[in-house]
Each structure stands twice: as structure tokens, then as C-alpha cells.
Amino acid sequence: MLTMADKEATVYIVDVGASMGERHHGRSETDLDWALRYVWDKITSTVATGRKTATLGVVGLRTDDTTNELDSEEGYAHISVIQPISQILMPDLRSLRSALVPSSTNSGDAISALVIAIQMISTYCKKLKYRRKIILLTDARGSMETEDIDEITKKINEDNIELVILGVDFDDPEYGVKEEDKDPRKAQNEETLKSLTETCDGVFGTLQQAVDELGIPRIKSVRPVPSYKGQLTLGDPEKYDSAMSIDVERYPRTMVAKPPSASQFVTASNPADGDASIQSSATMAGSSDLGPSAGQAALTSVRNARTYQIEDSEAPGGKRDVDRDDLAKGYEYGRTAVHISETDENITKLETMASFDIIGFVPKDKYERYMHMSTTCIVIAQRTNDKAQMALSSLIHALWELESYAVARLVTKDDKSPLIVLLAPSIEADYECLLDVQLPFAEDVRSYRFPPLDRVQTVSGKVLTEHRNIPTRELQDAMDTYVDSMDLSTFGRDDEGNPAEFMPIEDTFSPVLHRIDQCVRWRAVHPAEPIPPPYEILTRFSRPPDDLVEQASDPLRDLIKIADVKKVSPRQKGRKRARDRTKPLSGLDVDELLGREKRTKISPENAVPEFKQMLETTEDLGAIQDASKQMSVIIENLIRHSVGDSGYGRAIEALNAMREELTALEEPTLYNDFVRSLKNKLLKGDLGGDRRDMWWEIRRNRVGLVDKKLSSRSEVSEEEAAQFYTSR
């Protein structure tokens, strides 16, 4: 496993011979493009780390030209060093893409290419500590000279170089790959390369397996960082000799893995300017080949600036800029702010000292899992402290045997807020520890009460166990059977074919995190090509397995039959003139009993209720238009005859009712036409003089145009609706 301090030097040898430009065994891409899928995945993963110590080089095998330090010697022709060992940046990545294309020759020795790669690593790494690796990708259709292979093997072992050879259509019985009618030369070369890797204790495999495994996300190794180092105490060691004190360390056990965040960049008009000093990796060293002429515009990071303003009637615009140092902190208290000066700021802070104190114990069966407030951490004894390890082990075993948890107060650093955590014992075959999770304070608990599901309590206090809202025993049994048939805990199979968990945590990857990573790495190499679909391993748990659905089909049919589930006919497309009306429990039509007639006229004194009643009792478009016209006249009269702003409130109420009702009836055009006309009359003074205050009320209450977002029947865009509120 790599650590953050490891230095890496990797050389990729990519066979670009003419035979690699061919397609075999029904593949839609050439052998070279197929092999490059593996190369790009590995290189982009290295680039993404951004580590200067993660270096790599690329050697082209069977190239048209010859560019290497041994080109004057026999046997090293048609081998080119495309990328010397160094940290790879974005410009290097895209220049590699243009260089790795099929050549017009099949001449070039893979064994000689290995010698070039070994020399590159020896020259770059010298005697320093590096993790050295050579990866060869070839179809083994070229000639090979094996005279010095023993010396090469010796050098690889002496320099501790890891050798990986992946071949196009190489035979691998264990993976189920065998090429029929294989070319004799290729078969002989395969045996030579396989023998070489076995002697070097390297890896020899078929490219098919390597490409198939690209979709498996690689979990990033994270160096553990302690969140607390100190003593775990029970009692006060300064006051009591019998108090317990153990030197411990606390580390995260689970932590949310977040996807990479995007930064904001703009296209720089002149990258040479001094203001464009901060650039993305696309404009770093070597970007001269990737300038605008190559389709790669220089990018400059966006710098954010924040200003603070206060109201000042004498300043231009009524506001004046102030420095942040001139601001004072205040706490909102009702509708005012309480000022806290810097000298008194310590009053608001709770002075604490780093500590980890056990304050009590709780039986295991009394703790509710919903009390978890955080991710999980582990507490272990101080390393190299045998006394602390023995003491903590005793505490862990005591909690385990008594089936209890400990409750502790934790302050990770001085002046940090105290936390209450639960300590649970964990005993595994190879280690012991305490697991801790944060517990809530009283203010953190939301005590919502909901009605029970297994009984109904009437207004009189009587408890009913049989009710139309309570499932019968037959229905409950049918639901239990259906849930059991969808059980995933034993639906999977292990290597021996025995029942196992279908979704083990180690095989369940975050789709968002790895999908973003996949897209970023693809776009880095293919700036113009479409993004490929997500890997199957990221989406396979987004739906139940087909076999499980088939297994649960019979219990589901029984459940549907017992529950009397009926299909609701789809809502008819078109405008919904009629709306469901609330009916009394008796089922009687109150309007019909009282002999009420359908309303045809709206009175100004009771406009809103009568407008709603008129729309509820009609399905005719003409009647809806008539009601809208009457309401429009009433609203205009309320404004026209208003003394000051006395009638504006009723007008706004009527406008809001008209807007809501016509939107619900999918007739937003009637309202939009009226409110446009109303705006023109208000701004022109046609409703009893200057009524601009009424227009301000319309803007404040947001009763303007109905846009497409609010109603699909509207022809008004969101931009047009926002523009409507201006006074133009």
C-alpha cells in the first residue's frame, strides 16, 4: 500500500506498431485504442493526485522514428521516448494523445524497449528510494531478441522494479480467454514474456481482464490523523488515587467521502498579463503548444472580492463603503442587535481544556440507535505504551462482558466545544478498540409525535384495533411474505456458491463520487468526445436484481389481491374545468338541499368568495371568462374609488384570488391579459389619478404574470415575468 511519502517512477511502454491499428475478434475499436483505455485510466489517476513525487514516462514501441539514448546501437531502432520521466500535467497528457497513434511499421523489439525503460528509471531515480514500475502493453506480433534476457532479469531484480506485462488477446485460462488460430510468432513471444515476468516475480495477464476491471473504483488510501491524543479518565486523577487514567488516541473510523469540487475559471483575454498569474493546469508549463491555436484557451481563476456598505444619506447612492476592521459583532435579539465588543468577546466563549472523561455507563439494550449524531471514531491505546494497552483492553472487555456502553465528555482541543459521546466496545480477532459516536444534547432532539399505526383512538378516547385504516391480519401476513421475498441479506452468493449478502459494503461504491471522477478523467484526455455512460458497477445497485423481482412476483400478486389495490385511470390530458369538491360525510349535496342556484353575478361587497363559488359550479369556458371579466371590473373600481390606499388591500386580495383560481383552472392567459392591462392603466393614471402606490403593492405581493414554471399553459417565460415588475 502506498503512503503519502512514497515516491513513484513508472514507465509505460506502449506498442504502436501497424498491427496494433487493426481490429480483432469483433471489437469496434483498434487494438491500440483498446489498450489505451487502460493507459489513460492509469495516467489520469496519477495526474489527478497532483503529487510532484508521482512521476511517469512513456516509451513508444514500433514507432516510425527512433528517439532514445541507445539509438546508435543495434537492436534499438523504432523505439521512441515520447515522455521522459517527470510529473505529468494537462498539456503533457494531451500531447501524449496526439503521439500515441498507430505507426506504419511492425519493426521494433519489446525486449529492447524494456532496456530503455530500465535505463530511464536508473538515471532518474539513481540510488534514491522510489517505487519503480514498468508496464508493457503489446500484441507480441513483432520480433524479439532474447539473447540478453537473463541480464535484463537480473537488472530488474537488483533495482527492485515491478514488471507488469499486459497483452492483447493473450491466453489466460483462469480468466477464460484463449485466442484460436494464434500466430506462431505471437505464441512464442507470449511464452517468452510470461517466462520473463515469472522470473522477475512480476505480473503477466491478458488485456481483457485489465480493461474489464477499469470500472472497479479505486479506494483512496487516507493517512489517519488523530483528532485527540491524551488521557481517558474515570474520576479525577488529581483528587483521587483510585481514579482511572489511560493514555489513548482517537482516529476517524468512518468519514463522508466528498466528490471533487469544481472551481470557477474564465477565459483569459491575455494570459501574459500580470493579473493572470493564477492559472489552471491547462495553462501551466508547456502550454505554448496548447494555446488558442490548438483549441485550448488559457484559463484564469476567478478572484472574489467582498465589500461592506452602510446607509449614508450624504454618500452617492445613499450607501458608503466601510472597512471590515471598522465593523463590530452583534447578536440578534428580537428586532435589535446586541453589540459585543472585542474586549468582551470571550464572554460568549466557553473556556474548556482538552479532556476525555467518562461520566457514566448505560446498558446496551437501553440505547436507541437513532441517537447517533455523527460519524464514527475509534479510540485505541497509545502506541508503544504497554501499560495503556493493558488498561484499555481491561475496560473494553469489562464493557463487553457486562453488555454496557460508556458515556463520556470529550473536548478535542483547548477552547473547543464539549461533546457527549458514546463508547462501545469492539473486539476483533486481531485488534480491540472503543467505537465512539456523538450523542445529542436536549436541544438537538426533535420530539415529534405521530399517531400509532396499529390502533385508532377516537375523540371520546376509545381505542379501536379494527378499523378501515388498520391492516387486517391477512393483509399483514401478505405484506410480511412480500417483504421476506425481497430480502437482500442472503440473495448474493460467495465464491463457494453459498448464500451471502447481496450488497456488501466493500462492493457498494458512491455513484456520484466515482461518476464525477470518471467524467473528469475522460474529458482531460478527450476534450471533444461524448462522455461515456457510467460503469455498470456504479449502477447495479440502483435497481433490484431481476431474479429477485421474479422471485417476489407471486407474493406481490397475492398482496395486491388481498389489499384490493385498483388501478386509477390516468388523468385525462387537457384543461381541468371541474375540480373535486369536498363532500360531507353524509354524502348529501348541501347546495341542492338549500335550493341554491348557480351564481351568475358577483357582488363587489363579497367578491372573492362569490368569484370562487362561481368557478366551482361551472365547467363552461364562457362562464369562466364572464367571471374573470366581472372580477376585473371590480378590481379596477376598488382602485379607482379608493381614498388614498384604503382600497388597495381588498384589490390585492381579489387579484391574488383571481390569479390562483385561474391558474388552477389552467386559464392563465385570462389573468395575464388583465394584469397587463391593469399595469398600463395604473402607470398612465387612468384609474382615478396617480395610482403608482398600487403598482408598488402589486410588485411587493408578487401578483404579476403567471409564467411557464407556475403553469404549463402559460406562454410567458420566467424572464418576461420578472421583467414585468419593472415600471416600464
Side-chain angles (χ1 to χ4, degrees), residues 25-274:
H25 306 293
R27 289 190 291 267
S28 60
E29 55 189 343
T30 65
D31 292 347
L32 178 59
D33 289 337
W34 193 42
L36 286 178
R37 288 168 60 180
Y38 175 85
V39 174
W40 296 137
D41 182 86
K42 297 300 181 182
I43 293 181
T44 52
S45 297
T46 303
V47 173
T49 64
R51 292 169 47 207
K52 293 183 178 180
T53 56
T55 59
L56 60 88
V58 179
V59 175
L61 170 62
R62 296 197 292 172
T63 58
D64 290 325
D65 301 326
T66 302
T67 309
N68 61 75
E69 294 183 358
L70 303 177
D71 54 6
S72 59
E73 300 184 19
E74 184 180 356
Y76 294 95
H78 299 288
I79 300 174
S80 299
V81 178
I82 301 175
Q83 171 67 46
I85 298 178
S86 64
Q87 181 189 11
I88 297 294
L89 302 176
M90 187 72 73
D92 305 318
L93 191 63
R94 291 180 175 171
S95 63
L96 280 175
R97 183 169 181 263
S98 60
L100 294 175
V101 294
S103 67
S104 58
T105 181
N106 281 321
S107 300
D109 186 1
I111 303 299
S112 299
L114 283 174
V115 174
I116 298 296
I118 294 171
Q119 185 179 22
M120 291 172 61
I121 290 178
S122 299
T123 303
Y124 182 82
C125 300
K126 299 181 175 63
K127 298 296 182 180
L128 301 176
K129 185 178 180 181
Y130 271 84
R131 187 173 185 268
R132 310 164 192 225
K133 189 174 185 179
I134 296 176
I135 301 176
L136 169 62
L137 296 100
T138 180
D139 61 1
R141 294 180 182 273
S143 59
M144 291 186 188
E145 296 293 337
T146 60
E147 295 179 0
D148 300 327
I149 198 167
D150 292 337
E151 294 295 326
I152 295 172
T153 302
K154 182 179 178 181
K155 180 63 174 176
I156 291 175
N157 291 330
E158 287 179 354
D159 290 354
N160 196 24
I161 298 175
E162 180 184 357
L163 178 62
V164 178
I165 297 179
L166 300 175
V168 178
D169 299 322
F170 278 14
D171 293 342
D172 189 344
E174 294 183 0
Y175 195 70
V177 176
K178 181 173 177 59
E179 186 179 23
E180 301 295 337
D181 301 326
K182 189 185 294 289
D183 179 79
R185 171 186 282 186
K186 179 177 180 180
Q188 179 62 38
N189 289 340
E190 277 189 39
E191 289 299 324
T192 300
L193 294 175
K194 184 176 182 180
S195 175
L196 174 62
T197 54
E198 290 176 351
T199 308
C200 299
D201 197 20
V203 177
F204 178 87
T206 180
L207 186 63
Q208 179 71 57
Q209 181 178 1
V211 172
D212 290 345
E213 293 178 353
L214 292 181
I216 302 176
R218 291 175 290 276
I219 305 300
K220 180 181 178 181
S221 299
V222 181
R223 182 174 59 183
V225 178
S227 57
Y228 174 80
K229 278 188 175 183
Q231 292 184 333
L232 173 65
T233 62
L234 177 59
D236 190 348
E238 296 182 358
K239 293 183 179 180
Y240 307 102
D241 296 336
S242 59
M244 181 189 73
S245 178
I246 306 173
D247 293 321
V248 297
E249 299 175 359
R250 181 175 183 259
Y251 295 90
R253 180 63 176 269
T254 59
M255 188 70 68
V256 177
K258 298 181 180 179
S261 58
S263 301
Q264 293 180 330
F265 293 89
V266 295
T267 303
S269 57
N270 186 4
D273 293 344

Side-chain angles (χ1 to χ4, degrees), residues 96 474 546:
L96 280 175
E474 184 182 15
D546 296 336

Side-chain angles (χ1 to χ4, degrees), residues 277-306:
S277 58
I278 303 177
Q279 298 179 342
S280 72
S281 59
T283 61
M284 292 183 181
S287 60
S288 57
D289 296 335
L290 294 171
S293 60
Q296 302 296 332
L299 299 178
T300 301
S301 62
V302 177
R303 298 178 179 178
N304 298 322
R306 178 177 294 180

Side-chain angles (χ1 to χ4, degrees), residues 314-572:
E314 298 180 358
K319 293 184 179 180
R320 175 168 56 88
D321 292 345
V322 294
D323 294 332
R324 189 178 186 278
D325 296 337
D326 297 335
L327 302 178
K329 289 186 177 181
Y331 289 84
E332 186 176 353
Y333 187 72
R335 298 183 61 85
T336 61
V338 177
H339 167 58
I340 302 292
S341 63
E342 292 186 6
T343 56
D344 296 333
E345 191 172 349
N346 290 332
I347 298 176
T348 62
K349 293 183 179 180
L350 180 65
E351 295 183 2
T352 58
M353 296 181 62
S355 61
F356 201 174
D357 306 321
I358 296 177
I359 57 179
F361 300 91
V362 59
K364 180 179 179 180
D365 57 355
K366 298 296 183 182
Y367 177 73
E368 301 292 347
R369 293 293 297 271
Y370 66 80
M371 304 287 280
H372 285 12
M373 283 278 291
S374 67
T375 55
T376 308
C377 292
I378 64 171
V379 178
I380 61 174
Q382 187 182 62
R383 302 179 187 185
T384 70
N385 189 333
D386 296 338
K387 182 179 179 181
Q389 292 175 3
M390 183 176 296
L392 186 63
S393 178
S394 300
L395 175 61
I396 293 171
H397 280 269
L399 292 173
W400 181 276
E401 294 172 4
L402 296 176
E403 297 184 348
S404 299
Y405 296 146
V407 179
R409 177 182 183 272
L410 171 64
V411 180
T412 56
K413 293 181 180 179
D414 291 347
D415 295 328
K416 284 281 188 178
S417 300
L419 304 175
I420 302 297
V421 298
L422 184 83
L423 299 174
S426 176
I427 300 177
E428 302 293 339
D430 52 350
Y431 74 95
E432 301 171 349
C433 67
L434 289 173
L435 301 176
D436 80 65
V437 291
Q438 183 181 344
L439 296 178
F441 291 103
E443 297 81 4
D444 302 323
V445 178
R446 301 290 186 265
S447 299
Y448 301 123
R449 298 185 65 85
F450 300 95
L453 299 177
D454 59 345
R455 61 188 182 277
V456 173
Q457 187 171 3
T458 64
V459 178
S460 61
K462 184 179 180 180
V463 177
L464 304 177
T465 57
E466 293 184 2
H467 190 268
R468 59 187 177 87
N469 292 334
I470 300 176
T472 62
R473 172 47 56 187
E474 184 182 15
L475 178 58
Q476 187 67 52
D477 292 341
M479 180 61 74
D480 290 343
T481 303
Y482 174 65
V483 172
D484 291 340
S485 67
M486 293 289 288
D487 185 12
L488 292 173
S489 61
T490 58
F491 188 74
R493 291 290 183 270
D494 58 17
D495 296 337
E496 299 178 357
N498 299 320
E501 186 179 357
F502 178 71
M503 293 177 59
I505 188 67
E506 59 271 13
D507 294 335
T508 307
F509 304 98
S510 169
V512 174
L513 191 152
H514 295 291
R515 174 58 175 168
I516 292 178
D517 179 67
Q518 176 193 4
C519 294
V520 171
R521 288 191 286 112
W522 175 271
R523 182 57 74 229
V525 181
H526 309 87
E529 298 180 17
I531 300 292
Y535 294 123
E536 191 275 336
I537 195 172
L538 300 180
T539 60
R540 63 175 177 173
F541 294 141
S542 62
R543 59 190 181 278
D546 296 336
D547 293 342
L548 187 66
V549 173
E550 179 64 25
Q551 172 182 305
S553 59
D554 290 340
L556 178 59
R557 280 193 291 268
D558 295 340
L559 177 62
I560 292 174
K561 181 179 179 181
I562 295 173
D564 193 23
V565 178
K566 297 179 180 179
K567 184 177 181 180
V568 179
S569 58
R571 178 183 295 178
Q572 294 182 353

